[in-house]
Amino acid sequence: MIVILLGPPGVGKGTQGVILCERTGLRHLSTGDLLRRARREGTPLGKEAQGYMDRGELVPDSVIIGMVREALATASGPGVVFDGFPRTVAQAEALDQVLGELGRDVGRVMVLRADDEVLVKRLAGRRSCTECGAVFNVHFNPPAQENVCDRCASQLTHRADDNPETVRNRLEVYRELTEPLIAFYEDAGAPVRYIEGDQPVDDVQQALAAALDDDS
Ligand code: AMP
């Protein structure tokens, strides 16, 4: 099963993607996490991505598509949950091509929705684990121990691109370049499901589980 989590920054794609994969055995593939790891390791890819990420802009499609191709080539198991990919029509077309080569197709497009004011507040309180990708929120979903990851006990960080100005830019970029993917997948007849992201974490996860089961 190939699942795409689509939605604006802060809507809960990371949080939900990690839990969904723990529950189902699917592999969580977050392009944002892959890029942040490349930056930490100082690879050429990381250096190329850095400026775009700090400005809240998208990293060029060719870079992202190459990175995803590589990640999929080594993917095993029952499937993948894409988090933060695709983000442009060109990326979605490239994904279709790669999946076609592998004899797979998109099993679900889960569209997570929430108002901008909710997103801005969530991003301000967000704390992320750089090791395992788990996401917490000081207001809505705090870790048991302040600044320590519940899953792997690593230090949590507040992402540099979660500052208010960059967040505004990321939301604009989402509306302009990524939101059109909803129509792209609807028009292609892909199974698109809509989920209210402004609910407690467990309720969103339950809605995702129901949407995964519902193959009508
Ligand atoms: P995220 O963790 O998904 O919010 O991504 C953080 C940043 O990484 C984004 O603001 C972009 O700069 C970059 N990024 C992540 N995924 C993509 C993608 N699919 N296409 C282009 N840029 C991306």
Side-chain angles (χ1 to χ4, degrees), residues 51-185:
Y52 298 101
M53 295 174 80
D54 288 345
R55 292 188 296 272
E57 295 169 8
L58 294 187
V59 174
D61 287 333
S62 56
V63 174
I64 298 289
I65 291 164
M67 191 176 79
V68 169
R69 256 185 190 281
E70 207 172 294
L72 279 180
T74 59
S76 53
V80 172
V81 174
F82 282 109
D83 160 5
F85 175 86
R87 257 174 156 102
T88 63
V89 170
Q91 291 180 19
E93 287 171 346
L95 178 62
D96 279 349
Q97 195 188 332
V98 178
L99 292 179
E101 289 164 14
L102 298 170
R104 314 280 299 257
D105 54 14
V106 173
R108 288 288 183 285
V109 179
M110 309 286 200
V111 180
L112 293 164
R113 299 189 285 201
D115 291 340
D116 279 7
E117 35 184 299
V118 174
L119 301 172
V120 170
K121 187 158 182 218
R122 280 209 188 159
L123 290 168
R126 175 155 83 172
R127 298 292 179 273
S128 313
C129 178
T130 50
E131 285 306 315
C132 75
V135 186
F136 301 87
N137 191 291
V138 293
H139 309 296
F140 310 113
N141 176 29
Q145 197 184 333
E146 198 179 337
N147 274 331
V148 177
C149 178
D150 285 356
R151 293 173 76 224
C152 74
S154 300
Q155 195 71 18
L156 300 177
T157 57
H158 187 220
R159 279 170 46 175
D161 62 346
D162 281 346
N163 73 74
E165 198 184 323
T166 312
V167 163
R168 259 195 305 279
N169 200 25
R170 288 163 64 206
L171 286 171
E172 272 172 32
V173 168
Y174 173 77
R175 303 276 176 239
E176 189 189 336
L177 296 173
T178 308
E179 210 167 44
L181 289 181
I182 301 172
F184 173 92
Y185 282 115

